[in-house]
Amino acid sequence: MDEMELLGKTRVKVKDERVVETGVPLIRWCPLFDKVRGIKEITPEAAAANMVFRMKEHGMFTPRRKLEMDVFVGFGASEVMMTATSRRLIDGAVTVCDGAGTVITSNPSLIQGMGGWISGLVSTDPIPEVLAGIEERGGVVLDPETAKIDQVAGAKLASEMWSRFAVTVADMEAAERLRDLEEELKVRILIVGVHLTGIGEEEAERLLACADIVTGCASRYIREKVRPLVQVGTAVPLFGLTGWGKEVLVERAKEVDRPILINTMPLPVLPENKQPRPLV
């Protein structure tokens, strides 16, 4: 059984390439999915349909999983880590992939291919074809037998290969543990907070205190409490919280093929008509 949260943190369960259970979304409208998929209202049915679309078009949770893809959004977590790796701001990344769990790789194309369509991966079963495809592209799966998701264990493995790398996390406990690991292992970890819709007030404060980059998602508390050095996007923004996070986001901006406005102003900038509804 595979589980992923998508479209307003709706939990969708997949078995044998079929959606077998769909939860209740936390929000009703997301500007990103309205723009790219034309979804005007987030419902359990819309979430299930979107999961079916991802399985059909991208092979998610199937042996046909595509591990390379074009840029999905200009400033997404996978796009940012892809650019940071290719520009040598980091040595690689610890991320996740359906059919594999936690993955460590220095291949920018694989970072984007795995992460571009993933929302919040909760759990997954190993798929031999996916494991083989990742290995062929230079990725290392943390636990091929179980496809477990453990970003802290992934960081420990990455520290045996590299001295500076990114790790995606979806909770403040993992982020705080990674900061402790930096000192223990004598490495630098670019902590990227993702999938933060519904995060609590204290959790948001603690995550913001130790992350380098966070996504805004549909989080009310991230938006209220963030004091970024740089912001990219206004609807579902990414915030650079540290000098390193700022450097990585600005580097990504160099590869975006659309015109970009660079200006100084108080941040965050969050136009009311562009925010997910409701913020939670």
Side-chain angles (χ1 to χ4, degrees):
M1 182 81 72
D2 300 284
E3 295 184 44
M4 190 169 77
E5 294 177 337
L6 68 162
L7 264 69
K9 219 167 186 176
T10 310
R11 184 167 294 203
V12 177
K13 295 183 179 180
V14 174
K15 185 176 182 180
D16 297 330
E17 301 186 27
R18 295 186 304 109
V19 173
V20 296
E21 186 177 328
T22 307
V24 179
L26 294 184
I27 67 173
R28 296 187 302 273
W29 180 76
C30 172
L32 175 61
F33 280 93
D34 188 351
K35 179 179 179 180
V36 301
R37 294 291 303 153
I39 298 173
K40 301 299 182 182
E41 182 180 4
I42 296 176
T43 63
E45 293 76 17
N50 188 255
M51 187 70 257
V52 170
F53 170 79
R54 297 189 200 202
M55 289 190 288
K56 179 181 178 181
E57 297 297 322
H58 207 59
M60 292 189 72
F61 301 109
T62 79
R64 302 176 300 283
R65 178 59 150 94
K66 296 178 182 178
L67 294 170
E68 296 178 5
M69 68 172 288
D70 293 330
V71 168
F72 180 54
V73 293
F75 293 100
S78 59
E79 286 84 1
V80 166
M81 293 187 296
M82 172 187 67
T83 294
T85 303
S86 64
R87 298 294 186 97
R88 305 307 299 166
L89 297 180
I90 55 176
D91 299 319
V94 180
T95 183
V96 299
C97 183
D98 48 287
T102 293
V103 178
I104 301 96
T105 184
S106 59
N107 181 343
S109 178
L110 182 59
I111 291 171
Q112 174 63 8
M114 291 188 298
W117 284 40
I118 280 183
S119 298
L121 188 62
V122 177
S123 63
T124 190
D125 294 325
I127 299 175
E129 292 84 352
V130 177
L131 298 172
I134 290 172
E135 183 178 354
E136 289 169 5
R137 292 166 175 80
V140 176
V141 177
L142 175 65
D143 190 338
E145 296 297 320
T146 66
K148 72 177 179 180
I149 298 171
D150 187 334
Q151 299 304 84
V152 174
K156 291 179 180 178
L157 182 56
S159 72
E160 299 175 9
M161 312 175 196
W162 310 318
S163 60
R164 52 180 187 171
F165 51 89
V167 182
T168 57
V169 298
D171 63 273
M172 50 83 181
E173 286 93 350
E176 291 173 341
R177 180 65 183 126
L178 289 172
R179 281 291 173 247
D180 293 337
L181 278 181
E182 279 191 312
E183 183 64 27
E184 294 174 23
L185 302 176
K186 307 303 179 186
V187 294
R188 291 188 67 201
I189 301 176
L190 183 83
I191 298 177
V192 183
V194 297
H195 195 55
L196 302 178
T197 295
I199 190 173
E201 182 174 9
E202 181 185 352
E203 293 176 292
E205 290 175 347
R206 289 169 61 182
L207 181 62
L208 290 169
C210 61
D212 295 283
I213 296 171
V214 296
T215 60
C217 297
S219 171
R220 175 181 304 278
Y221 292 118
I222 292 293
R223 283 166 165 74
E224 287 180 357
K225 296 180 178 298
V226 70
R227 298 295 180 267
L229 299 180
V230 66
Q231 172 183 336
V232 293
T234 55
V236 184
L238 262 67
F239 301 111
L241 309 177
T242 64
W244 197 16
K246 178 180 179 181
E247 180 184 13
V248 166
L249 292 183
V250 170
E251 195 68 28
R252 172 61 197 159
K254 297 177 184 179
E255 293 191 350
V256 174
D257 59 6
R258 297 187 298 275
I260 292 175
L261 169 67
I262 298 176
N263 194 15
T264 57
M265 62 184 67
L267 297 177
V269 173
L270 302 166
E272 186 175 350
N273 66 318
K274 288 189 174 183
Q275 304 313 297
R277 297 192 296 265
L279 296 175
V280 293

